[in-house]
Amino acid sequence: PKRGRLMVAWDNRLVIARTADSDHNWYMSKKGSPDKWDVYPSPDIINSLIPWSDDLLLMGGDHTIQRMTGNPLAGGQIDLISDQTGISFGSPWAKDPEGVLYFFGSRGGGYAYAPGQQVTRISLDSIDRDLQDVNLGLYEIGMAWSYREDGLYIFQLPHGTGGVTQKGWFFERKTGAWYDMEF
């Protein structure tokens, strides 16, 4: 930022405010690198919105997952949950009875997440390759939690066909086993 009228060193970075172009904004350098500024970071494409609770909204991007906590107009905040994976387009998610969120990654794969924990790839040791091979340009993913079977259904749905399932998978929570389904 150029022509800042206020500047301090804080938390191992530079903070600048009251620039000639914008007297109401402030800017921070990268921590530990006072010469690194990402003033206009390229935003991630939003693929999915997940209303977790009245106070929590998850935003699944193409390569990130962010969490909005509280009302953004009343002191709410946005936190990065993951910059390692995003969520595929639409509503490719479901929650289990304990509140664990399951979702389909933007590059394939099945994941689980609970607030305060790390995102976990649950398909890695089993059917990960099959889930990565889903062409997300042709198909979207639908998910549903089954209370009866205590597991997660994943449905591969062609875009624009009214939701006719082509293929699916079932994740049994108790054993961690995956099953293929054909329709």
Side-chain angles (χ1 to χ4, degrees), residues 94-144:
K95 282 199 278 186
D96 72 12
E98 284 74 36
V100 174
L101 175 76
Y102 296 87
F103 65 89
F104 197 85
S106 57
R107 292 180 291 256
Y111 294 83
Y113 170 73
Q117 297 181 9
Q118 297 291 321
V119 172
T120 305
R121 193 173 196 149
I122 60 172
S123 61
L124 191 58
D125 295 328
S126 50
I127 65 160
D128 205 51
R129 190 68 173 149
D130 288 347
L131 298 181
Q132 286 181 352
D133 286 343
V134 174
N135 183 340
L136 294 173
L138 297 174
Y139 300 98
E140 61 185 81
I141 300 297
M143 297 176 95

Side-chain angles (χ1 to χ4, degrees), residues 127-172:
I127 65 160
D128 205 51
R129 190 68 173 149
D130 288 347
L131 298 181
Q132 286 181 352
D133 286 343
V134 174
N135 183 340
L136 294 173
L138 297 174
Y139 300 98
E140 61 185 81
I141 300 297
M143 297 176 95
W145 185 262
S146 171
Y147 291 90
R148 183 176 178 183
E149 286 93 10
D150 194 35
L152 176 71
Y153 283 101
I154 300 177
F155 304 105
Q156 179 179 301
L157 310 164
H159 288 297
T161 63
V164 178
T165 301
Q166 300 294 305
K167 185 172 178 154
W169 300 270
F170 180 75
F171 173 70
E172 185 178 51

Side-chain angles (χ1 to χ4, degrees), residues 26-106:
W26 49 269
Y27 306 89
M28 289 186 177
S29 70
K30 180 177 180 181
K31 192 169 185 170
S33 300
D35 59 336
K36 302 257 193 243
W37 300 84
D38 194 1
V39 178
Y40 300 106
S42 47
D44 195 5
I45 298 167
I46 297 174
N47 286 337
S48 185
L49 296 173
I50 303 169
W52 190 284
S53 68
D54 287 345
D55 198 46
L56 209 106
L57 174 72
L58 298 182
M59 294 172 279
D62 189 55
H63 57 277
T64 62
I65 302 171
Q66 298 185 49
R67 178 184 69 215
M68 181 183 298
T69 305
N71 185 333
L73 297 176
Q77 69 182 47
I78 298 176
D79 296 302
L80 181 67
I81 292 173
S82 175
D83 60 359
Q84 301 300 307
T85 188
I87 299 176
S88 64
F89 181 79
S91 298
W93 59 271
K95 282 199 278 186
D96 72 12
E98 284 74 36
V100 174
L101 175 76
Y102 296 87
F103 65 89
F104 197 85
S106 57

